[in-house]
């Protein structure tokens, strides 16, 4: 099977094999080759495996080989997640005799967040539930730290839904905090997704079993057979497609709307009730009767405009108050860029497929 093929591919002779369970022993010096065979069948274990690979693969030295004896959507998702964790990775042919075996070869790239067992206290964010996530100050503005709005949205969702009956699919997860907070609060299943998943995978590996996926909004390669169900009867679960900070990217709102639609269609194909929960700042110039304003910088109205265009409609709105700035139950918030982050309620948009799209799904 895959281990024998990889052994042959390496030339049949390996200078040393490390089997130590003592962390200090097996991280004492960089590895030349790391081999991972038949390890990606359970999606809930992808995050700890990703975090482990980041620790044992030294940039510009270690060669990584991934091998599986079948080509499945889980295998592809894991390979995509590895690439989104700052690795390069290409599929290679190791034997014409075993065409079903899928092997990828690659290496870690320098410059990304490198997980370490000792996390400085200032890099952690903690909430009242004891959820503690590592933050990345260098890439903070691109999802690397937890914002007051994210904490507000997580608390609002927990109050508003029976989480034990909900599956959560978070878009633009960054640190993974919102999804991991909902998992701690009892969500039935959580998927963390982003175009870069190294940080959220490290946090998921520390805090709980959930899925981690590379999802680039509306990218044709980031949907697979596992996203399409063929159930004949409704499920009793609700699929929440959550976006805490995504609406801030005004340049990507068309892609965000298309991704919300794609994930809601996936939920419907599995027989689940789908609802998108999107956080957005209040309208810059509110108009009567719920009409959208014309301000180009109004994230709320622009995301609603793009969603309507693709058949995702607003069902209702809500408000989520932010945590108090001096609340001792929270620790580790980076200083917010705007004072309003601490004083302005977070607007919550509840969206769903329009009736025609849901029927078609």
């Amino acid at each position: 099977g895959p281990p024998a093929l990889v052994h042959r591919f390496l030339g049949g002779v390996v200078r040393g094999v490390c089997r130590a369970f003592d962390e200090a022993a097996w991280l004492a010096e960089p590895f030349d080759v790391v081999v991972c065979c038949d390890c990606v069948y359970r999606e809930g274990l992808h995050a700890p495996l990703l975090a482990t690979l980041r620790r044992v693969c030294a940039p510009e030295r270690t060669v990584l080989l991934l091998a599986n004896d079948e080509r499945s959507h889980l295998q592809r998702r894991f390979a995509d997640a590895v690439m989104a964790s700052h690795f390069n990775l290409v599929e290679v042919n190791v034997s014409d005799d075993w065409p079903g075996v899928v092997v990828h070869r690659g290496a870690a790239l320098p410059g990304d967040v490198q997980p370490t067992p000792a996390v400085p206290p200032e890099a952690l964010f903690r909430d009242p539930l004891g959820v503690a996530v590592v933050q990345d100050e260098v890439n903070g503005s691109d999802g690397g730290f937890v914002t007051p709005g994210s904490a507000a949205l997580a608390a609002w969702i927990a109050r508003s839904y029976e989480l034990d009956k909900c599956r959560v699919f978070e878009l633009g997860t960054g640190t993974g905090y919102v999804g991991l907070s909902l998992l701690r609060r009892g969500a039935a299943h959580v998927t963390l997704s982003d175009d870069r998943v190294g940080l959220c995978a490290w946090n998921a590996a520390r805090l709980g079993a959930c899925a981690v996926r590379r999802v680039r909004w509306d990218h044709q390669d980031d949907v697979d057979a596992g996203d399409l169900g063929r159930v004949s009867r409704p499920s009793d679960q609700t699929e929440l497609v959550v976006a805490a900070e995504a609406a801030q990217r005004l340049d990507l709102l068309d892609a965000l709307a298309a991704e919300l639609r794609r994930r809601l269609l996936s939920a419907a194909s599995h027989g689940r009730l789908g609802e998108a929960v999107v956080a957005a700042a209040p309208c810059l110039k509110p108009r009567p009767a719920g009409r959208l304003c014309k301000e180009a910088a109004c994230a709320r109205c622009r995301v609603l405009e793009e969603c309507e265009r693709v058949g995702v409609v607003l069902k209702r709105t809500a408000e989520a108050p932010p945590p108090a700035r001096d609340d001792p139950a929270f620790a580790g918030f980076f200083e917010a860029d705007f004072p309003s982050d601490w004083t302005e309620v977070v607007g919550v948009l509840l969206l769903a497929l329009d009736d025609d799209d849901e029927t078609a799904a």
Side-chain angles (χ1 to χ4, degrees):
L5 285 175
V6 169
H7 188 262
R8 188 194 311 169
F9 181 69
L10 291 172
V13 178
V14 179
R15 180 168 60 88
V17 178
C18 179
R19 296 186 177 88
F21 289 97
D22 176 34
E23 182 179 273
W26 64 272
L27 291 179
E29 60 179 293
F31 291 104
D32 298 306
V33 179
V34 170
V35 179
C36 181
C37 295
D38 296 333
C39 295
V40 298
Y41 294 107
R42 291 184 58 189
E43 196 168 24
L45 296 178
H46 287 187
L49 183 53
L50 285 169
T52 300
L53 292 178
R54 282 298 305 170
R55 293 191 62 197
V56 300
C57 294
E60 301 179 334
R61 170 165 176 170
T62 308
V63 175
L64 170 64
L65 291 168
L66 304 175
N68 275 284
D69 62 1
E70 65 176 355
R71 189 180 297 275
S72 68
H73 68 271
L74 286 182
Q75 181 271 337
R76 176 178 173 177
R77 286 181 187 179
F78 184 72
D80 287 346
V82 172
M83 288 188 283
S85 297
H86 218 59
F87 281 76
N88 62 27
L89 207 65
V90 295
E91 187 171 335
V92 296
N93 179 32
V94 297
S95 173
D96 293 331
D97 299 330
W98 295 75
V101 175
V102 183
V103 178
H104 287 86
R105 174 178 176 151
L109 300 171
D112 194 42
V113 177
Q114 190 68 28
T116 60
V119 179
E122 63 272 16
L124 282 175
F125 167 83
R126 293 184 178 87
D127 75 359
L129 295 175
V131 178
V133 298
V134 178
Q135 303 182 99
D136 174 21
E137 187 174 7
V138 175
N139 297 299
S141 61
D142 196 21
F145 56 72
V146 181
T147 65
S150 295
L153 183 66
W156 183 89
I157 292 173
R159 293 192 302 269
S160 304
Y161 292 91
E162 295 181 67
L163 287 178
D164 60 336
K165 298 179 181 177
C166 292
R167 298 173 63 90
V168 176
F169 196 108
E170 188 183 2
L171 299 175
T173 188
T175 63
Y177 169 72
V178 173
L180 291 170
S181 172
L182 297 177
L183 185 67
R184 175 66 61 87
R185 288 174 160 104
H189 184 273
V190 171
T191 298
L192 308 177
S193 75
D194 212 323
D195 61 342
R196 296 184 303 171
V197 299
L199 185 58
C200 71
W202 180 233
N203 284 322
R206 298 173 62 249
L207 294 173
C210 64
V212 172
R213 286 184 60 182
R214 177 178 71 172
V215 172
R216 297 159 293 180
W217 301 341
D218 198 30
H219 196 289
Q220 63 180 1
D221 292 338
D222 293 350
V223 64
D224 57 43
D227 292 316
L228 305 175
R230 293 180 175 82
V231 297
S232 57
R233 58 183 180 181
S235 167
D236 62 353
Q237 289 187 320
T238 298
E239 184 97 10
L240 299 180
V241 185
V242 177
E245 301 290 334
Q248 296 181 1
R249 292 298 305 270
L250 295 175
D251 57 326
L252 295 176
L253 292 184
D254 55 342
L256 172 62
E259 191 61 43
L260 291 172
R261 180 177 186 272
R262 183 159 74 173
R263 297 302 155 188
L264 291 172
L265 283 171
S266 173
S269 75
H270 285 91
R272 304 180 194 120
L273 175 67
E275 190 163 57
V277 184
V278 180
C283 177
L284 293 178
K285 292 188 176 180
R287 303 189 67 183
R291 289 184 295 170
L292 304 182
C293 78
K294 301 298 182 182
E295 292 293 314
C298 180
R300 179 189 185 278
C301 291
R302 299 292 72 77
V303 72
L304 288 175
E305 188 175 65
E306 293 294 340
C307 284
E308 288 178 3
R309 184 179 58 82
V310 297
V312 175
V313 296
L314 181 67
K315 295 296 186 181
R316 58 192 176 96
T317 62
E319 293 183 342
R325 191 167 192 165
D326 58 353
D327 188 342
F330 291 92
F333 278 121
F334 280 104
E335 189 63 30
D337 292 333
F338 303 101
S340 61
D341 288 351
W342 297 101
T343 59
E344 196 172 70
V345 296
V346 177
V348 183
L349 309 176
L350 289 306
L351 305 115
L353 294 172
D354 67 23
D355 293 338
D356 291 340
D357 265 354
E358 193 161 15
T359 301

